[in-house]
Amino acid sequence: MQLKKSLGLVIGLVVGLAGGYLFSKSQRPDPGSIQDRLEIAEQEAAKSGREARALKAYVKRAESSGSAEFRRLARDLKDGKEVSFDDILGSAKPWMRQIAPVMERVRKVNEAKWVDARVSEWTRNYTLTVAERNELREYFKKRSEENAEKITEVINSDQSGFVEFVQATENDWRDFEGTSDLMESFLEGEELEQFKEERLAKRVDAVQEEADRKLGRLDEIVALSDEQQAELFRVMARGAEDYRPEVNPQDYRGETAPLNRMARDTAINGVLTPDQRKVLDEYRENQVREVAEQWERYQLAPPKDFDLLEGDIF
């Protein structure tokens, strides 16, 4: 019995001390006391910590939105520092990602208008069933979506640069390359022959126009003789973008294998005289120098792999 009373007393004392301690902690220390100043300092420190975390989160959001990168580029341009197109594109990517849904809707509207016009034209010129018209629309839709995906990949990648962006946007879903095979599978007899002839005629016109344009440019640079012009027209035709072995501009006769740019330039050098080759080489060197000077004049650094975008000099 005595043990139980002692135990009860001890428990009561412990509970009382604990309650008193907790009560004292809940009371405000005396104003101006060390405890009061310490508590105020702790509260201010906690408040500052919360503000610092909030500021850090804001800065992170601003940086991810690209606004901070834009400001940095603007400062660099103002200070006369060299800025690259890769940096400019990188700073614009967050904004481009934000407006991507709007651009996607614009793309689909423009695509639908163009496809409807093209399918209507071919339906007027040839006998196409409803199923064939729908298949044409699906073909163009698929091509458009494939090219849109390439652009999206470039925009969403932090490693892609200006050259990759240009290459992705150069793909045109409006070309007829795949559509020709599809249309030929729909048609037969006279309509099929008519379609093939029309497509070939358009390709011949495109090849002849490109060959004439580039030959005229080369003539301005090195002053070609009549014999050289006749021979180099065939070279330019085989090096044209739309050239195919079946293309025959102006009853062309001779080699029919297509030429890539390197093979075409080798063939050109084989026709030119040593003096003409020297003039052409000097012209190319001047072109390269002028491009470099233009970048420097605008205090812009060429994007990486920029040489992949360099067009034909002719």
Side-chain angles (χ1 to χ4, degrees):
M1 181 66 66
Q2 189 67 29
L3 178 61
K4 289 182 180 181
K5 288 183 180 180
S6 300
L7 184 58
L9 182 62
V10 171
I11 294 175
L13 181 61
V14 170
V15 172
L17 291 172
Y21 173 77
L22 293 175
F23 177 76
S24 66
K25 293 295 291 181
S26 67
Q27 298 301 302
R28 181 77 185 174
D30 293 335
S33 65
I34 295 177
Q35 291 84 355
D36 183 46
R37 292 197 299 270
L38 179 61
E39 186 171 321
I40 292 174
E42 289 176 347
Q43 292 173 355
E44 291 296 330
K47 180 181 178 181
S48 299
R50 290 193 299 270
E51 291 176 348
R53 288 192 295 272
L55 181 60
K56 183 178 181 180
Y58 172 79
V59 171
K60 185 176 181 180
R61 289 194 301 271
E63 289 178 345
S64 64
S65 68
S67 58
E69 184 66 13
F70 269 122
R71 289 193 295 272
R72 183 188 69 79
L73 289 175
R75 288 195 302 269
D76 288 347
L77 286 171
K78 184 177 180 181
D79 295 340
K81 296 180 180 179
E82 195 174 61
V83 174
S84 170
F85 265 81
D86 291 325
D87 295 332
I88 295 174
L89 176 65
S91 66
K93 281 181 181 178
W95 173 79
M96 296 170 72
R97 293 164 188 161
Q98 291 176 0
I99 69 167
V102 177
M103 299 306 298
E104 178 68 7
R105 290 195 292 269
V106 172
R107 178 188 67 80
K108 288 182 177 180
V109 171
N110 290 336
E111 169 199 320
K113 290 180 179 179
W114 188 91
V115 170
D116 285 342
R118 184 61 57 240
V119 173
S120 176
E121 176 188 350
W122 284 344
T123 301
R124 186 177 68 254
N125 295 335
Y126 307 100
T127 304
L128 297 179
T129 65
V130 174
E132 290 169 344
R133 281 176 265 170
N134 290 336
E135 191 170 347
L136 278 172
R137 290 189 175 93
E138 284 300 315
Y139 168 82
F140 283 118
K141 180 180 178 181
K142 183 178 179 181
R143 286 291 307 274
S144 178
E145 290 176 348
E146 289 173 352
N147 291 334
E149 287 177 2
K150 295 176 183 177
I151 299 175
T152 300
E153 289 176 3
V154 172
I155 294 175
N156 289 335
S157 172
D158 293 330
Q159 284 71 46
S160 63
F162 181 76
V163 170
E164 289 88 348
F165 178 75
V166 172
Q167 290 174 333
T169 56
E170 281 182 341
N171 294 311
D172 193 352
W173 52 272
R174 297 173 179 81
D175 68 61
F176 295 164
E177 192 64 34
T179 322
S180 296
D181 295 337
L182 187 59
M183 281 291 293
E184 289 177 13
S185 70
F186 296 157
L187 306 176
E188 58 184 19
E190 293 183 0
E191 284 192 334
L192 177 58
E193 293 304 316
Q194 177 186 344
F195 178 79
K196 287 182 176 180
E197 289 176 3
E198 289 180 355
R199 295 299 304 143
L200 181 59
K202 289 182 179 180
R203 192 179 294 280
V204 168
D205 290 342
V207 169
Q208 183 168 319
E209 180 182 350
E210 181 177 342
D212 283 332
R213 183 179 69 253
K214 293 184 175 181
L215 184 63
R217 185 73 181 116
L218 179 60
D219 184 37
E220 292 176 358
I221 299 171
V222 300
L224 299 169
S225 67
D226 292 342
E227 293 77 10
Q228 287 176 322
Q229 290 209 28
E231 187 171 355
L232 287 175
F233 174 81
R234 294 189 288 270
V235 173
M236 294 297 189
R238 292 168 58 202
E241 182 178 357
D242 286 324
Y243 179 79
R244 301 293 184 277
E246 64 270 19
V247 173
N248 185 19
Q250 291 186 345
D251 297 324
Y252 165 75
R253 295 290 183 271
E255 293 291 333
T256 59
L259 298 174
N260 58 30
R261 186 182 300 182
M262 182 178 297
R264 186 210 63 185
D265 288 349
T266 299
I268 291 174
N269 286 334
V271 176
L272 300 180
T273 65
D275 288 341
Q276 288 174 321
R277 286 196 295 270
K278 182 179 178 180
V279 171
L280 183 58
D281 290 340
E282 291 175 351
Y283 177 83
R284 288 192 174 106
E285 292 174 359
N286 289 334
Q287 290 289 99
V288 173
R289 184 166 53 253
E290 287 178 6
V291 169
E293 290 175 352
Q294 188 174 27
W295 284 108
E296 185 177 353
R297 188 179 307 119
Y298 291 104
Q299 295 179 332
L300 293 172
K304 63 179 181 179
D305 300 326
F306 179 72
D307 56 310
L308 298 178
L309 296 181
E310 285 297 293
D312 202 340
I313 66 171
F314 303 114

